[in-house]
Each structure stands twice: as C-alpha cells, then as structure tokens.
Amino acid sequence: MTFALRPLSPATWPDFARLVEEHEGVWGGCWCMAFHEEGVGRTKTPRQNRSEKERRVREGRAHAALVYDSAECVGWCQFGPVAELPRIKHRRAYEAGDPVPPDWRITCFFVHRAHRRTGVAPAALDGALSEIARLGGGTVESYPQDTDGGPVSASFLHNGTLAMFESRGFTRGRRLGKNHWVVTRTVPRPA
C-alpha cells in the first residue's frame, strides 16, 4: 500500500484525535501521553490525557509521524527529544547501563485495528526518521520488541518490532527486559 505521511501539528490534530477517539483513547485512555513527563497514572482520566496531549501539540512539544490512507489517519509513530519523552519502559535496566542520552527517542506506535499488518508501522517509522532529519538529525534510540520467540498480537507491539528497526538501519545495543532491545541509528541532516 502507498501511504501519505504528515507530522502531528495543530493542523493534523483533528485527524489524530479522531483515530484516538475511535479506539477509546488508545490503551485505556493514554492518548499517547505515557512517555511524556506528565505520564498517565491511576489518577488521570482519559479526558485529562487528551487535554494535556492537545496542549503539547499546540505548543509544539509533541512529535509524531501520522500515516494516512487517503484522507484517513490510520496510525502514527511518536518521537521526540529526551526532554520531551523522558519516560520509558524498563527504565531501571536502561539506566543500569549508564547510557549516553540520544538526541531523539522513538517511543511508540499505534495502528488502526483495521490496518494492522498492512505496512502502517514501517511507514510511520520512515516518516519519523524523515521528520527527525528535517528537524536536524542526530542519534535516534528506540526500544523495540524481539518477536523471534513466537507470535505476538499486533495490538501489543506499541514499541514496534526489532526486525522492523533493523530493516531501517538500527543496530542492537543491549537487552532491556526479556524481549526488548535498545537500538540506535544516526540520522544525518538532509543536504
């Protein structure tokens, strides 16, 4: 399939919001806030998460590559500088390795349930890498899941797959938890 890519912005916010609302706030009302400083937590409502995400988008403090099938937003890849996305899964294991902070993090993907396994996630990753290049490039880090151990439901692959990242030039660093890896790649600034 051929998809169009657009950055998350105030202009594309309605498309993003429509997709999230269609999926009941995504992952229990997260609104893709779990990796931001505010987090989600038990005391936050989906409405609060929506409001905080919209505020971040309007202020230019939330980044994602949105994937479109015609006029419909069908998925995204969230990325941003470490200060924008300070929360990650497996933080204790990550920090035990005394990491050098990357310039950018890729923290999560979401794909419309009717479009899973159709190439939306790889398109979203390509879009995120293009946006990172446009924004100045640098070291990019992510924490995908190694799915070689067996099948995993696509609805649980919010970090993407190790194979997808490796196919885009990322290299494995070290393991985080049982099935996740730190992967990195340097994205040059476009000429």
Side-chain angles (χ1 to χ4, degrees), residues 130-169:
S130 291
E131 277 297 295
I132 287 168
R134 185 183 70 77
L135 294 168
T139 304
V140 182
E141 184 175 270
S142 194
Y143 321 97
Q145 184 167 343
D146 185 353
T147 57
D148 282 346
V152 178
S153 169
S155 63
F156 289 104
L157 290 173
H158 70 274
N159 287 112
T161 66
L162 180 60
M164 178 180 68
F165 277 88
E166 288 180 329
S167 76
R168 298 310 193 264

Side-chain angles (χ1 to χ4, degrees), residues 169-187:
F170 283 80
T171 57
R172 295 181 199 201
R174 60 191 167 90
R175 212 179 258 284
L176 290 180
K178 184 177 177 186
N179 297 313
H180 289 84
W181 285 84
V182 175
V183 297
T184 58
R185 174 182 162 184
T186 299
V187 174

Side-chain angles (χ1 to χ4, degrees), residues 10-186:
T12 58
W13 169 259
D15 303 332
F16 174 84
R18 200 169 13 262
L19 177 58
V20 176
E21 287 165 353
E22 186 176 337
H23 289 80
E24 299 170 10
V26 179
W27 295 302
C30 172
W31 277 86
C32 213
M33 282 297 296
F35 300 101
H36 289 297
E37 184 178 359
E38 300 90 335
V40 286
R42 289 187 196 103
T43 61
K44 297 252 183 123
T45 66
R47 179 181 229 156
Q48 287 171 302
N49 292 333
R50 181 192 198 284
S51 176
E52 289 173 353
K53 186 67 171 196
E54 185 173 10
R55 183 176 330 110
R56 281 185 160 275
V57 170
R58 299 220 179 276
E59 293 171 352
R61 298 183 309 120
H63 293 86
L66 305 183
V67 179
Y68 288 78
D69 182 7
S70 296
E72 180 186 14
C73 180
V74 296
W76 71 77
C77 172
Q78 178 176 256
F79 67 94
V82 173
E84 185 176 299
L85 299 167
R87 295 172 175 263
I88 58 171
K89 304 271 184 191
H90 308 287
R91 176 172 287 292
R92 189 173 302 150
Y94 178 80
E95 290 177 347
D98 197 23
V100 173
D103 298 304
W104 301 91
R105 281 187 170 148
I106 293 175
T107 55
C108 68
F109 293 80
F110 183 76
V111 177
H112 187 292
R113 68 177 66 87
H115 288 81
R116 292 184 181 142
R117 301 195 188 277
T118 65
V120 173
L125 178 54
D126 291 342
L129 294 172
S130 291
E131 277 297 295
I132 287 168
R134 185 183 70 77
L135 294 168
T139 304
V140 182
E141 184 175 270
S142 194
Y143 321 97
Q145 184 167 343
D146 185 353
T147 57
D148 282 346
V152 178
S153 169
S155 63
F156 289 104
L157 290 173
H158 70 274
N159 287 112
T161 66
L162 180 60
M164 178 180 68
F165 277 88
E166 288 180 329
S167 76
R168 298 310 193 264
F170 283 80
T171 57
R172 295 181 199 201
R174 60 191 167 90
R175 212 179 258 284
L176 290 180
K178 184 177 177 186
N179 297 313
H180 289 84
W181 285 84
V182 175
V183 297
T184 58
R185 174 182 162 184
T186 299

